[in-house]
Amino acid sequence: MPCASTGLTFERMNASAHEARWWRPLANGKLLCTLCPRLCEIPEGKAGFCFIRKNVTGRLQSLGYGKSTGFAVDPVEKKPLNHFLPGTMVLSFGTAGCNLGCKFCQNWDISKARIDERRSEEGSPDQIVGLALRSGCSGIAYTYNDPVIWAEYAIDIAAAAREAGLKNVFVSAGYVTAEARPEIYRYMDATNIDLKGFTEDFYRHVTLSHLEPVRETLAWLRHESNVWLEITTLLIPGRNDSDREITEECEWIVSALGPDVPVHFTAFHPDFKMTDLPRTPAATLRRAREIARRCGVRYCYVGNVHDAEGQTTFCPSCGSALIQRDWHAILSYRLDGDRCPDCRSVIPGVFHAGDHSADSWRTGGGRWRVSLH
Ligand code: SF4
């Protein structure tokens, strides 16, 4: 399949660099990248903050196009998505670089790397779709580093995946402009947005970005797209885990997005520039979940810990346990289509048709690496 933006085949594109979308030349001779709210002004021969969008002789090039830093088959619960085809596997990959500067980055070996510093595997959209199908995946996840910065590649793969009957999952911090959002999400079926905290101070100093554009993306996804949305907040001890901040986040989610958007609170481990802090205690995650429930969030989960209750989907009407999980594994599945089998309430999400309670597709929760070649 030729590239949607250039019309070139993958082989032709690789012969030359891949031209980016969402930029324009400025009077000062630099290029303005309008893909994310950072709005980098990029001089000749230089790359933007994310490392992988570069001004090459007056045209913006997407250096990450066609270059993955490795493929894995993951449970969809690892994205995390708990209300999107539970128990299925998704082919997952990323490239290099990132448009945020999180001091706690849990994937910093790829997010802080330049594309030429990482061993990458070259793959066309059709090759990646073929790998997903051969691996028995329900879809493809654009993940590990933020796919916003390699959106041209993600869009081309997603278009080919949809044609082949696969789903597309976009795992992002949601730091993207209103100009680029509709194109990026055109072929996406589900997304998990990493809402990194709920104060501008935290966003500014710990992630080197801003909160408001992320809230705008969340509202757009919920109200102006058909993409299934879940939210994750990594709770960092002493930085974004106060009762007040969690309460404000959850109150905003319920009022701006509604009570049915699943919220995941996950545990931080010391990494990158934040190795002086302890791991998030399980009690902090339980506290956050309690606050969320008090604020009216109907589906709140905890992650990166073992917590049977905090990882179970309960019917908000009758309280029945519908999907029981342990970490990323599904232990029991009682949904009948999208309904509670006991009180027949509809559970929001994208679920398998009919009664799957005895099916063998339940995942053990593991992951494995795969390769194109
Ligand atoms: S996508 Fe990259 S180059 Fe473009 S504005 Fe954002 S950080 Fe800068």
Side-chain angles (χ1 to χ4, degrees), residues 117-181:
E117 293 171 347
R118 291 284 312 193
R119 233 182 99 240
S120 57
E121 203 175 350
E122 298 208 352
S124 70
D126 289 336
Q127 284 174 311
I128 292 172
V129 167
L131 180 61
L133 292 170
R134 283 199 304 282
S135 306
C137 292
S138 64
I140 297 175
Y142 310 90
T143 180
Y144 301 146
N145 68 332
D146 202 306
V148 162
I149 62 170
W150 44 281
E152 295 88 351
Y153 190 33
I155 291 169
D156 287 351
I157 299 166
R162 180 164 285 187
E163 215 167 85
L166 293 167
K167 302 295 185 191
N168 290 299
V169 171
F170 200 75
V171 182
S172 170
Y175 203 55
V176 60
T177 58
E179 176 187 342
R181 264 184 229 128

Side-chain angles (χ1 to χ4, degrees), residues 22 24 26 31-42 48-49 175 177 179:
W22 310 293
R24 58 179 179 270
L26 295 171
L31 302 182
L32 177 71
C33 177
T34 58
L35 172 54
C36 94
R38 202 168 286 283
L39 298 176
C40 293
E41 292 188 16
I42 309 173
F49 178 93
Y175 203 55
T177 58
E179 176 187 342

Side-chain angles (χ1 to χ4, degrees), residues 67-71 93-96 110 115 118-121 144:
K67 300 186 185 100
S68 154
T69 48
F71 295 91
F93 72 99
T95 63
I110 58 173
I115 195 73
R118 291 284 312 193
R119 233 182 99 240
S120 57
E121 203 175 350
Y144 301 146

